[in-house]
Amino acid sequence: MTVTIGFLVNPIAGMGGAVGLKGTDGLLAEAIKRGARPEAGNRALVALRKLKGAPLRFLSCSGPMGEDALNVAGITGFEVVYQTPHPTTSEDTRRACAVFEVHGVDLILFCGGDGTARDVYDTVLDRIPILGIPAGVKMYSAVFATTPESAAAIILNLSQSVRHMRDAEIVDVDEEAYRDGDLRTRLHGYAQSLYLPGLVQGTKQVLEDQDEDRAKEGIGRFLAEVILGTPDILYLIGPGSTTGAIAREFGIPKTILGFDAVKQGRLVASDLNEEEIIRLLEREKKSRLIVSIIGAQGSVLGRGTRQVSPRVIRMIGIENIIVVATPHKLSETPVLFVDTGDEALDKAFGPHISVISGYQIAQRKRIGVLTTKE
Amino acid sequence: MQTKIILDEEEMPKRWYNIQGDLPSPLDPPLNPQTKNPATPSDLAAIFPMELIRQEMSADRYIDIPGEVQDVLRLWRPTPLYRATRLERALKTPAKIYYKWEGVSPAGSHKPNTAVPQAYYNMKEGVERIATETGAGQWGSALAFATMLYDIQCSIYMVRSSYTQKPYRKSMMNVWGAECIPSPSTKTNAGRAMLEKDPDTPGSLGVAISEAVEDAATHSNTHYSLGSVLNHVCLHQTIIGLECRAQLASVESYPDIVIGCVGGGSNFAGVSFPFAGDKLIGKHPEVEIIGVEPASCPTLTKGLYAYDYGDEAGLTPIMKMYTLGHDFIPPSIHAGGLRYHGDSPIVSRLVHDGVMRAVSYHQSEVFDAAQTFARSEGFIVAPETSHAVKAAIDEALKCRKSGEEKTILFNASGHGDFDMSAYDAYYAGNLSDYEYPDSLIREALSRLPKVP
Ligand SMILES: Cc1ncc(COP(=O)(O)O)c(C=O)c1O
């Protein structure tokens, strides 16, 4: 069966970065004035050349939003389903994706940065898998392949055999703060994406590391046993589908983007804000926080997580934070970043952190220093 | 200064040292898994030859090595003891480091030291076939070699993750005429049950032991053989430490620290028991003895000292040992031979009594150490052995700080010639530093057998 791919390029992605701006959103005029030239099409080309001749059907947008790159790569037989205006805005990414969805594409392949990822996700949510060819200034969302080449490898694998699907976080980055050297990511949503276990794992694969669902199930089962074994402890469970596996063990609902409270396997409260969390913690003798790793660069407790403020973390205590992540996620993030928004608190985590990665298994990861400066 | 200390063939020990003879009180007995009463020799007779059962329970301080077994052991024994001057120089340590090189055996590790006598005693009883398990394939290849010598058929259940990672170990078993089966398999009830629970399981030593024990118990011509953990296995390995003691004596030395890596405990027991015995009888009360295990499977450092099964399905006798729980499946680290939930009951007892102690390390720091060793001494050791290397290096670095000229002895249990893919993964930056979340596990429900 031929795989149908909706392909789009955000032509202005990355232009800001090339001229020393930390992003292009709202700064295109300034970027052009500083001499920036569209580069995203070239990044896309690297991937497309590898896809030439594969049994794939492409739907795309006219001119710089896809057609040009497909032509240069020598890919024929694609269909233009969206007419690109000049100049383009983020609205065009959204409109094109809506058209792709109507055409029933199997996958949206886009070339851009975090802003583009967010536009694609906002349009199709988790209904269609999303894969990004990295070309932006910021790529903190987890839908990006590591390189254009690896994006192509993932797609070639897809057309041949099974699909390895995984959840991928879309993050918002505060542009203004970022330009001041301050990274604030906030979880925006969970897209569906694809991955190639062999490619990310390298030469040595271990069986249990290959399957996302299996790993999540193991993490969920283990922590469910811990929760039942500690009936006096209240557990605040953070966003994500890895943490969601714990709720599944108990058959209770989980707020995908929020914090829920669980005790003895029963749901105490859901989608709590900071104030509600503090009120809850004040009543409890001991509480723990279970959070997953967010984003492509691997952050723990991004400061955009408003509900769990430094005050909340101090009330809970660092020793009562349980971090979870699948082995695949951990293989993509050699170093983790703790970013509570409170430097003293971040430092208190020390040089290493133990991350629960399976049933009765953890991995020790190094904690790095977060900076947006090169 | 002498680089390697070599004993003559006539100086090879003619008796094994049985530390049970020097324990201040007997070991807690193994229990029959059904009745939970102390296991009797007849409980074990279905799967072990009588002589091994006798050795298992013996309190005689020394047990003779049969002449025919000595003849085979002389193929590679006595093994050399090296003074690691190049490593000492690289570390700038005043410590004197010695390592016993067991990589010279046909199978490339210490495992043939017990495989040969085990096969021999089975041959003496007319056993036609032996079933066993193997983790990384070291034990399987050693037993394949030993059974070949005595014309005994051999079926080896190999933990599946290693079976795929280390295809050449399987090839070695085939060269020596043995059959190698990935575990869990569909040949046994234990294997089928595990596959039903989880068709994608990487397998574990615990499951493979269940399969081999079941195979032996359900075939009248078949016995079972275990490559580690049991008292008689540790006994056979003491030839390592006995040779070391003689070799060091020949240069008028005695170790301050003795180190070995610990999977089921046999090579550590082998190198250390003669020295632990000296400590127990007060001859060398200050010798420090250190077992080294992976942080991902830290039986001695984080396990419970309790009665537990030796295998996943609960078919083996229940033994008093340090354990992480018989259903614990350790992550697939490259040191496959160290992935065992329990430990030798004697080693456990000695650690519990403070005669020895244990440390644990993460995977990547262990490979750092193996690289340091390979780039100074030349030998590329097995990932299991690298754990001992790491501890020896750390002790030597402590001496550099304190200025002490301690004598450090460690057992280099095997070569890494078939583990190069593990080194590749290390250089590719693909090693995960697995660890055991002990406090959380302790809070979750414990699954040790209920022993009255
Ligand atoms: C080279 C090597 N060292 C050590 C071990 C660990 O076993 P034990 O603790 O019984 O010595 C193994 C087991 O396979 C091994 O192959």
Side-chain angles (χ1 to χ4, degrees):
Chain A
M1 203 193 72
T2 314
V3 176
T4 304
I5 296 175
F7 169 68
L8 73 87
V9 176
N10 172 5
I12 65 165
M15 284 173 67
V19 290
L21 299 172
K22 290 178 172 173
T24 317
D25 290 7
L27 290 175
L28 182 60
E30 173 67 19
I32 291 172
K33 206 169 78 194
R34 292 195 191 181
R37 301 228 320 265
E39 274 299 324
N42 292 337
R43 303 279 290 171
L45 253 184
V46 176
L48 291 177
R49 285 208 170 100
K50 296 211 180 285
L51 295 176
K52 187 181 162 187
L56 302 165
R57 186 166 150 257
F58 285 93
L59 304 185
S60 192
C61 316
S62 66
M65 268 187 76
E67 182 182 16
D68 296 349
L70 286 162
N71 277 330
V72 176
I75 290 177
T76 53
F78 61 88
E79 194 180 332
V80 171
V81 294
Y82 183 77
Q83 288 303 320
T84 307
H86 184 79
T88 59
T89 68
S90 59
E91 195 50 42
D92 292 297
T93 299
R94 288 191 215 131
R95 285 198 193 114
C97 289
V99 175
F100 291 156
E101 184 166 17
V102 171
H103 280 79
V105 298
D106 298 306
L107 163 73
I108 293 179
L109 175 68
F110 73 93
C111 186
D114 272 328
T116 324
R118 197 181 48 226
D119 292 329
V120 176
Y121 171 75
D122 282 346
T123 312
V124 302
L125 299 177
D126 59 2
R127 296 189 295 268
I128 303 173
I130 301 171
L131 182 64
I133 300 169
V137 178
K138 298 179 297 299
M139 280 145 309
Y140 292 104
S141 290
V143 290
F144 290 101
T146 31
T147 60
E149 288 86 350
S150 63
I154 289 169
I155 289 173
L156 290 173
N157 179 62
L158 168 78
S159 53
Q160 279 161 13
S161 59
V162 284
R163 298 178 185 195
H164 290 280
M165 301 287 282
R166 64 166 171 135
D167 295 314
E169 307 89 37
I170 302 289
V171 298
D172 286 324
V173 179
D174 182 326
E175 294 259 345
E176 299 234 350
Y178 190 85
R179 282 179 206 121
D180 295 337
D182 189 3
L183 179 64
R184 291 185 198 178
T185 55
R186 201 167 80 91
L187 184 61
H188 181 82
Y190 277 92
Q192 280 294 300
S193 192
L194 302 155
Y195 74 105
L196 191 58
L199 196 75
V200 263
Q201 290 284 316
T203 53
K204 290 288 290 195
Q205 295 166 32
V206 275
L207 288 160
E208 73 257 36
D209 283 7
Q210 290 181 27
D211 188 324
E212 282 282 287
D213 289 339
R214 187 185 149 82
K216 273 183 205 158
E217 192 265 339
I219 294 168
R221 196 154 44 87
F222 175 40
L223 289 182
E225 284 177 7
V226 172
I227 291 172
L228 291 179
T230 50
D232 297 339
I233 301 180
L234 178 91
Y235 287 84
L236 276 180
I237 305 182
S241 60
T242 311
T243 49
I246 304 164
R248 266 200 302 287
E249 288 289 317
F250 296 129
I252 56 177
K254 171 86 195 71
T255 315
I256 274 288
L257 293 184
F259 285 80
D260 299 344
V262 171
K263 198 170 181 179
Q264 296 171 11
R266 285 192 293 274
L267 186 65
V268 176
S270 43
D271 205 5
L272 295 153
N273 62 31
E274 181 187 3
E275 217 184 291
E276 291 165 331
I277 290 175
I278 289 171
R279 254 185 283 134
L280 204 52
L281 294 179
E282 278 167 349
R283 289 210 308 267
E284 295 291 331
K285 264 212 305 290
K286 181 171 176 179
S287 308
R288 281 184 175 154
L289 176 65
I290 304 178
V291 289
S292 57
I293 292 170
I294 304 292
Q297 104 281 24
S299 73
V300 179
L301 297 161
R303 72 179 64 180
T305 316
R306 292 200 202 95
Q307 305 94 315
V308 177
S309 58
R311 182 175 165 206
V312 167
I313 294 169
R314 286 209 158 84
M315 285 178 78
I316 293 172
I318 285 179
E319 68 286 3
N320 290 315
I321 297 176
I322 299 172
V323 183
V324 300
T326 60
H328 178 263
K329 181 91 191 174
L330 290 174
S331 72
E332 287 186 323
T333 49
V335 179
L336 301 181
F337 298 94
V338 178
D339 181 30
T340 61
D342 176 331
E343 227 173 282
L345 196 55
D346 292 352
K347 285 221 177 79
F349 279 79
H352 291 110
I353 192 164
S354 190
V355 180
I356 302 293
S357 62
Y359 186 74
Q360 299 190 337
I361 296 172
Q363 289 188 32
R364 183 174 74 161
K365 299 292 282 189
R366 204 153 55 76
I367 295 180
V369 180
L370 200 62
T371 173
T372 59
K373 303 181 180 78
E374 314 278 283
Chain B
M1 190 187 311
Q2 214 171 329
T3 301
K4 60 187 187 304
I5 305 167
I6 296 178
L7 298 177
D8 284 336
E9 286 192 4
E10 307 78 66
E11 292 174 288
M12 190 180 83
K14 299 185 175 51
R15 303 184 300 175
W16 292 301
Y17 168 61
N18 180 18
I19 199 167
Q20 290 193 77
D22 283 323
L23 289 178
S25 63
L27 289 174
D28 292 306
L31 306 179
N32 177 307
Q34 271 101 39
T35 65
K36 312 252 160 69
N37 291 324
T40 60
S42 60
D43 288 345
L44 303 172
I47 56 172
F48 292 116
M50 275 326 285
E51 178 54 26
L52 290 178
I53 297 171
R54 199 185 68 74
Q55 292 178 2
E56 187 68 20
M57 303 184 168
S58 169
D60 298 344
R61 187 171 286 132
Y62 288 98
I63 294 175
D64 288 339
I65 306 175
E68 291 164 82
V69 170
Q70 291 183 37
D71 286 344
V72 178
L73 294 181
R74 268 194 291 271
L75 263 177
W76 71 94
R77 302 210 74 87
T79 59
L81 178 75
Y82 283 83
R83 172 77 189 269
T85 41
R86 288 171 179 79
L87 177 64
E88 289 167 18
R89 240 178 279 136
L91 299 175
K92 301 192 177 66
T93 176
K96 301 184 189 73
I97 307 174
Y98 290 90
Y99 58 96
K100 180 71 164 166
W101 185 223
E102 290 292 309
V104 291
S105 78
S109 76
H110 65 293
K111 298 284 182 181
N113 296 336
T114 183
V116 171
Q118 288 197 44
Y120 170 79
Y121 293 122
N122 275 288
M123 176 273 286
K124 281 286 180 198
E125 272 193 22
V127 170
E128 293 168 5
R129 182 169 163 265
I130 295 180
T132 194
E133 74 292 324
T134 189
Q138 295 267 20
W139 167 243
S141 52
L143 192 66
F145 159 71
T147 48
M148 176 270 299
L149 297 170
Y150 300 111
D151 257 338
I152 299 171
Q153 291 172 43
C154 186
S155 295
I156 298 154
Y157 293 86
M158 183 166 179
V159 176
R160 194 207 264 178
S161 57
S162 303
Y163 185 89
T164 39
Q165 280 177 6
K166 301 194 170 147
Y168 293 134
R169 281 279 161 198
K170 170 180 150 272
S171 311
M172 288 173 84
M173 296 176 221
N174 294 155
V175 168
W176 285 313
E179 169 193 34
C180 178
I181 307 150
S183 164
S185 77
T186 53
K187 291 201 168 202
T188 64
N189 287 329
R192 283 187 294 269
M194 190 66 207
L195 286 173
E196 201 161 298
K197 227 174 23 183
D198 184 357
D200 295 324
T201 175
S204 72
L205 219 44
V207 178
I209 295 175
S210 296
E211 290 208 274
V213 171
E214 184 183 327
D215 183 324
T218 53
H219 293 91
S220 60
N221 69 341
T222 305
H223 265 176
Y224 170 69
S225 168
L226 189 63
S228 189
V229 182
L230 299 179
N231 303 343
H232 66 264
V233 181
C234 296
L235 172 79
H236 300 157
Q237 295 294 356
T238 57
I239 194 167
I240 302 173
L242 292 169
E243 285 180 4
C244 287
R245 200 170 55 185
Q247 284 162 315
L248 286 171
S250 77
V251 293
E252 280 151 26
S253 184
Y254 190 90
D256 296 299
I257 305 175
V258 180
I259 295 169
C261 65
V262 183
S266 74
N267 90 88
F268 176 54
V271 71
S272 71
F273 279 5
F275 300 101
D278 288 349
K279 187 170 182 170
L280 281 173
I281 61 173
K283 208 163 144 195
H284 285 279
E286 63 298 316
V287 57
E288 214 184 324
I289 302 172
I290 307 171
V292 193
E293 51 188 18
S296 57
C297 191
T299 317
L300 294 172
T301 47
K302 289 186 172 173
L304 293 175
Y305 187 50
Y307 268 108
D308 195 8
Y309 299 106
D311 67 327
E312 210 269 342
L315 303 176
T316 67
I318 308 174
M319 294 172 290
K320 182 81 173 284
M321 59 184 177
Y322 279 97
T323 176
L324 300 172
H326 60 277
D327 62 348
F328 175 64
I329 298 200
S332 300
I333 51 168
H334 291 286
L338 305 187
R339 292 179 70 219
Y340 185 62
H341 70 272
D343 246 311
S344 145
I346 304 180
V347 168
S348 297
R349 162 74 183 273
L350 293 171
V351 168
H352 185 255
D353 289 356
V355 179
M356 322 173 138
R357 66 184 173 91
V359 294
S360 73
Y361 290 109
H362 289 86
Q363 194 163 219
S364 42
E365 56 192 354
V366 155
F367 275 91
D368 291 342
Q371 173 178 285
T372 302
F373 188 70
R375 291 186 182 177
S376 52
E377 291 295 312
F379 292 111
I380 300 173
V381 297
E384 291 84 359
T385 309
S386 312
H387 287 72
V389 174
K390 168 67 180 162
I393 289 179
D394 276 9
E395 289 301 323
L397 291 176
K398 275 188 217 160
C399 289
R400 173 163 139 189
K401 272 219 184 97
S402 67
E404 288 170 288
E405 296 182 20
K406 286 187 179 173
T407 298
I408 300 168
L409 165 68
F410 76 88
N411 189 41
S413 55
H415 68 64
D417 294 6
F418 299 105
D419 298 290
M420 295 322 294
S421 59
Y423 281 86
D424 284 348
Y426 167 65
Y427 289 117
N430 283 336
L431 293 187
S432 302
D433 275 335
Y434 295 108
E435 55 191 14
Y436 180 81
D438 58 317
S439 53
L440 290 178
I441 289 177
R442 224 166 285 151
E443 290 172 351
L445 311 165
S446 148
R447 277 198 213 74
L448 297 180
K450 297 268 172 291
V451 173

